[in-house]
Amino acid sequence: QQQVKQSPQSLIVQKGGISIINCAYENTAFDYFPWYQQFPGKGPALLIAIRPDVSEKKEGRFTISFNKSAKQFSLHIMDSQPGDSATYFCAALRSGGYQKVTFGTGTKLQVIP
Amino acid sequence: DVKVTQSSRYLVKRTGEKVFLECVQDMDHENMFWYRQDPGLGLRLIYFSYDVKMKEKGDIPEGYSVSREKKERFSLILESASTNQTSMYLCASLTQGRGYNQPQHFGDGTRLSIL
């Protein structure tokens, strides 16, 4: 059972454009939503994260938008660069306990010059 | 700097073999995890451990077991490897510390092929 649905599976964006990746979750007990970035040959690394008590979080060119009522959240990459080409995973977890993370299926982003 | 080291980057084994994947972290983290990564399926949790000698099943534990004899080391065992276990395996660690805004730290993965 896929508890975090992610789309699209792949995305091609021109340099300078906006990349948008969407995720939806089912479990209302989730209360922390990180995004991970994975470059080829490397493990995923935390990019940015949000708690559901805020609707938006921005770090540099990366912004998470969160819609609690719709149980959806998205990653926006402004002014996309070729160096942003990577696979992005959204994730969700319930705080406390063993912090088991549920990951989305991943989006492979390619930014072309 | 945080470091999670997986013993092999690439591994080729035969059907029926017993396979060991090793992971070591140098951060004194309490929690350790094993995932497999497959195209279109994302990261799926196989097993995790929250303390030495403790383990919990993840979402897809069938065909796997784990061992955690020391805090820094977490081993994934394929008891009798099958071709459907060909995949990328990722190890991660996480501090139990206060708050939940602690990232999981991943190794660079082991690409395992079962022939």
Side-chain angles (χ1 to χ4, degrees):
Chain A
Q1 182 182 1
Q2 183 64 43
Q3 294 192 51
V4 179
K5 295 182 179 179
Q6 182 173 349
S7 62
Q9 188 169 352
S10 63
L11 184 60
I12 299 175
V13 173
Q14 283 209 309
K15 179 181 176 182
I18 302 173
S19 304
I20 302 174
I21 303 170
N22 299 300
C23 286
Y25 63 98
E26 299 167 4
N27 188 346
T28 54
F30 290 144
D31 59 1
Y32 188 62
F33 301 89
W35 285 86
Y36 283 79
Q37 179 188 53
Q38 183 182 31
F39 292 107
K42 295 292 186 181
L46 180 67
L47 179 65
I48 186 173
I50 195 168
R51 291 168 50 179
D53 52 351
V54 297
S55 60
E56 185 174 284
K57 183 173 182 180
K58 184 176 182 179
E59 289 184 2
R61 296 184 293 108
F62 299 89
T63 300
I64 301 177
S65 298
F66 189 87
N67 185 330
K68 188 175 181 178
S69 61
K71 294 188 287 185
Q72 295 175 346
F73 58 111
S74 60
L75 177 69
H76 293 63
I77 307 174
M78 312 300 287
D79 186 26
S80 298
Q81 299 296 313
D84 297 330
S85 298
T87 299
Y88 292 81
F89 293 95
C90 62
L93 70 153
R94 182 178 179 179
S95 59
Y98 304 132
Q99 300 188 35
K100 180 183 162 186
V101 179
T102 299
F103 286 90
T105 52
T107 296
K108 187 172 183 179
L109 171 66
Q110 184 180 0
V111 181
I112 55 177
Chain B
D1 202 10
V2 167
K3 194 154 183 71
V4 177
T5 302
Q6 294 184 230
S7 55
S8 304
R9 292 299 303 271
Y10 301 93
L11 208 53
V12 180
K13 296 291 182 180
R14 296 203 174 275
T15 303
E17 280 193 69
K18 190 169 186 176
V19 181
F20 294 84
L21 302 183
E22 306 288 342
C23 175
V24 177
Q25 51 98 358
D26 65 357
M27 297 159 286
D28 202 36
H29 283 172
E30 294 83 3
N31 297 348
M32 296 188 74
F33 306 81
W34 274 107
Y35 296 89
R36 63 177 284 176
Q37 181 178 3
D38 301 287
L41 296 177
L43 278 69
R44 293 180 293 166
L45 182 64
I46 304 171
Y47 267 97
F48 65 101
S49 169
Y50 53 91
D51 202 350
V52 175
K53 297 191 184 294
M54 306 303 289
K55 61 184 180 183
E56 291 285 338
K57 292 181 180 179
D59 299 317
I60 52 164
E62 296 78 18
Y64 303 94
S65 63
V66 290
S67 173
R68 193 160 179 209
E69 296 297 318
K70 293 184 178 181
K71 190 175 186 180
E72 68 270 19
R73 185 180 298 272
F74 192 34
S75 303
L76 179 69
I77 304 158
L78 285 67
E79 297 290 345
S80 178
S82 64
T83 55
N84 63 11
Q85 293 178 309
T86 291
S87 186
M88 170 69 83
Y89 290 86
L90 289 162
C91 174
S93 74
L94 172 70
T95 183
Q96 186 65 27
R98 278 189 191 176
Y100 46 79
N101 55 341
Q102 302 294 326
Q104 291 200 359
H105 296 275
F106 283 86
D108 288 337
T110 295
R111 186 165 293 282
L112 175 65
S113 297
I114 307 296
L115 305 179

